Amino acid sequence: MAKKKSITRISDKKRGRPKIRFSFWGLIAIFMLSFATCFILYMVAANFNENFFSDEFENVVVEDKTSADTDSVNTSGTPDTEQTGAQSSSALTNPIAQSQPKDASYLGSCCLVTDNTLIDMGKYTGLTDIIGSGELGAANCNTYTMESSYGTKTAYEILQTKKPEKVYIMLGDDIGTSSVDDMISNYTEFVKNVRGYLTDADIYIMQLPPAGEGSTIDNGAINEFNTKLLTIANTNNVYCIDTNTALKGVDGKISKEFIDTETGALTEKAYKTIADYVLCHTV
């Protein structure tokens, strides 16, 4: 009798099972083991390198808030040069207070633009670089031309050629004969042009000296003009020195020792006093 063959069937379900089962806890164990290994290596490196932590953290970049704020201000449309000028101007205190006296050689680096008021400055002091004329005044300072070693030019054109380090300006002896409004308007234009061209120069406006006994000019008008000169200095980022007070007597007029009563011109002592005042009022 033939034996019956036994057939064993393999279930499809059994064949589809993965050989390795996923284990959540096994994944956690692997993670913890990796973390512990990295931590141990980190601590070993820190112990063997004394500068480990400084090397790790010194290269951190911190945003410069000041620079960011500055950039945001500049994007508003105000040029950097205007902001710098405004800051410098706000730092000025005019008229300039007394300072430590400079050596007399300081005058050799100065250029004086003047009308008839200080026309003889070079005769009595070390300030010999003078651009001036008896016909020059505040009202015509931008248009009046004079003979110079550079040709016939305006005061501003001569300054453009010379490019002095320090510029002193004494204009205004036409007060009483010219319109004060015209004088101030042209004076302002002149200072603005010089300031714009000689950006690195020290520019000083010198206030007019007081009038003397018998003068047709009232000291009240001179004081008012000097106040406007102070405003020009403050608004154009230049200096102003009170050469009016340097020559003023107790009566508010120019001291008699500083004025020649016959000619009305300043005396040698007056020029030397102004030179000394310049040396003691610098920045």
Side-chain angles (χ1 to χ4, degrees), residues 5-258:
K5 293 183 179 181
S6 175
I7 299 174
T8 305
R9 297 181 181 277
I10 299 175
S11 172
D12 291 337
K13 294 182 179 180
K14 205 169 187 180
R15 290 191 179 200
R17 293 177 183 174
K19 295 181 180 180
I20 299 176
R21 293 183 178 180
F22 174 80
S23 174
F24 176 81
W25 293 110
L27 183 62
I28 294 296
I30 293 172
F31 175 81
M32 294 299 294
L33 182 61
S34 300
F35 179 83
T37 302
C38 292
F39 181 78
I40 292 172
L41 292 174
Y42 187 88
M43 294 305 296
V44 170
N47 288 328
F48 278 96
N49 183 4
E50 295 179 354
N51 299 321
F52 179 81
F53 290 103
S54 60
D55 292 342
E56 283 291 311
F57 299 108
E58 274 183 352
N59 294 328
V60 176
V61 178
V62 180
E63 182 181 358
D64 188 349
K65 186 175 181 181
T66 303
S67 298
D69 291 343
T70 303
D71 291 339
S72 65
V73 172
N74 289 344
T75 56
S76 65
T78 304
D80 292 343
T81 53
E82 291 183 4
Q83 291 181 0
T84 303
Q87 291 173 356
S88 301
S89 179
S90 63
L92 296 181
T93 301
N94 283 317
I96 298 301
Q98 185 171 346
S99 59
Q100 288 294 324
K102 296 283 188 181
D103 186 83
S105 60
Y106 171 88
L107 297 175
S109 63
C110 301
C111 179
L112 173 65
V113 178
T114 186
D115 48 28
N116 202 49
T117 308
L118 298 183
I119 198 67
D120 291 328
M121 190 79 175
K123 290 182 180 180
Y124 306 111
T125 73
L127 204 170
T128 57
D129 188 1
I130 298 173
I131 301 172
S133 169
E135 298 178 13
L136 180 65
N140 68 356
C141 60
N142 296 300
T143 56
Y144 179 77
T145 58
M146 63 195 88
E147 295 295 330
S148 72
S149 56
Y150 307 104
T152 304
K153 297 178 179 293
T154 64
Y156 174 58
E157 290 171 339
I158 297 174
L159 286 174
Q160 283 181 303
T161 305
K162 295 173 73 68
K163 299 181 179 62
E165 298 177 2
K166 301 171 185 67
V167 179
Y168 284 81
I169 305 170
M170 171 69 82
L171 295 172
D173 76 334
D174 49 337
I175 189 171
T177 58
S178 299
S179 163
V180 174
D181 289 341
D182 289 342
M183 292 172 67
I184 294 299
S185 175
N186 286 283
Y187 203 127
T188 301
E189 181 182 350
F190 179 74
V191 171
K192 186 178 295 184
N193 289 338
V194 175
R195 172 75 288 167
Y197 188 79
L198 301 177
T199 55
D200 296 326
D202 293 331
I203 302 171
Y204 292 83
I205 292 177
M206 308 171 75
Q207 293 185 319
L208 286 181
E213 190 72 35
S215 173
T216 57
I217 306 301
D218 180 62
N219 274 307
I222 292 177
N223 293 337
E224 182 180 354
F225 184 78
N226 284 336
T227 299
K228 293 180 179 181
L229 294 184
L230 186 63
T231 301
I232 293 175
N234 289 334
T235 55
N236 288 279
N237 194 27
V238 301
Y239 307 116
C240 182
I241 56 175
D242 185 9
T243 36
N244 177 277
T245 299
L247 302 181
K248 186 179 292 185
V250 293
D251 59 354
K253 300 176 182 179
I254 191 170
S255 180
K256 293 181 180 180
E257 60 184 333
F258 296 140

